[in-house]
Amino acid sequence: HRFAHLIGTENVTGDNIENAKNCQAVFDGNNLENVSYSMFVNDTKDTQDINYGCDEVALNYEVCTTGVSAYNILFSIDTWPNVANLYYCDSCSGGTRDCFGCIGLRGKQFCILNKQYSKEEYEKLVGKIIIHMQKTGEWGDFFPIGLSPFGYNESLGDDFMPINKEEAVKIGANWLDIDYGLKYEVGVLSAA
């Protein structure tokens, strides 16, 4: 069996990669440079820990779903198209730039927690927030597991790394205690 599908690559590890240089642990992508620990990426460079990114993506870290001219996006999810300098944002799009901790913005700039600031106020406050987050150890990580609206036992995490309720609570995860009366036995789903 073929080890990996690497076409037109140099210094690359992963699988199903075309036209790439200096990439580690990348799966399913093309036209890449200096990308690591990522999957489903195209036309991306200088990026790490990204899942689903394409079309002129650069300088992104710990991002899920971004693309079409996404630049300098950190610790965010669903940020595209034409976005830049977003930190801890969710579902921001349409030219949103220079925002921190925002959700659902379109075409906005210099916002913190969805509140508009002047450029000077924004830069000053974001600097203070980042310094505080560095002191508390929060800066540099994706959204905490406790913010998930789902219980650990209803996520794919439980399929790949099963743990019990006590272990989930210990790592700060939510747990769903509802029994829907369904029972799964050897490939058969039935009412209990």
Side-chain angles (χ1 to χ4, degrees):
H1 295 284
R2 186 173 177 172
F3 156 69
H5 298 86
L6 304 174
I7 300 169
T9 63
E10 179 183 332
N11 192 29
V12 171
T13 63
D15 192 17
N16 201 25
I17 308 295
E18 290 186 37
N19 305 320
K21 181 178 179 184
N22 301 326
C23 297
Q24 287 184 299
V26 177
F27 301 89
D28 299 307
N30 63 58
N31 303 322
L32 310 171
E33 186 172 349
N34 303 321
V35 176
S36 57
Y37 309 106
S38 299
M39 62 189 296
F40 307 117
V41 287
N42 299 312
D43 303 311
T44 300
K45 66 180 186 174
D46 304 320
T47 291
Q48 182 174 323
D49 294 328
I50 184 172
N51 188 11
Y52 299 103
C54 64
D55 299 328
E56 299 179 38
V57 174
L59 295 176
N60 290 268
Y61 180 64
E62 294 218 9
V63 178
C64 183
T65 312
T66 192
V68 190
S69 298
Y71 178 81
N72 196 35
I73 312 300
L74 305 178
F75 324 113
S76 297
I77 185 167
D78 197 25
T79 53
W80 65 282
N82 304 315
V83 293
N85 307 318
L86 302 180
Y87 313 104
Y88 292 99
C89 289
D90 183 354
S91 303
C92 292
S93 64
T96 300
R97 314 173 67 77
D98 305 299
C99 290
F100 190 102
C102 294
I103 297 175
L105 297 183
R106 181 170 175 79
K108 295 289 187 174
Q109 188 172 20
F110 306 124
C111 295
I112 301 171
L113 301 176
N114 286 29
K115 182 178 177 185
Q116 184 71 57
Y117 291 90
S118 70
K119 179 180 179 183
E120 295 76 21
E121 290 174 312
Y122 172 82
E123 289 173 351
K124 184 178 177 181
L125 282 172
V126 166
K128 286 182 178 181
I129 292 169
I130 291 172
I131 288 169
H132 173 77
M133 289 178 76
Q134 287 171 334
K135 287 180 183 175
T136 61
E138 297 168 294
W139 177 256
D141 287 326
F142 197 72
F143 297 111
I145 194 170
L147 291 181
S148 173
F150 303 101
Y152 186 88
N153 57 325
E154 57 181 334
S155 75
L156 285 176
D158 196 42
D159 290 345
F160 292 101
M161 296 186 312
I163 58 177
N164 61 35
K165 180 178 180 177
E166 293 74 29
E167 292 169 318
V169 170
K170 190 174 182 180
I171 63 169
N174 298 314
W175 189 267
L176 181 67
D177 284 322
I178 297 172
D179 180 4
Y180 290 108
L182 297 175
K183 188 176 180 182
Y184 184 77
E185 291 181 21
V186 193
V188 177
L189 183 63
S190 61

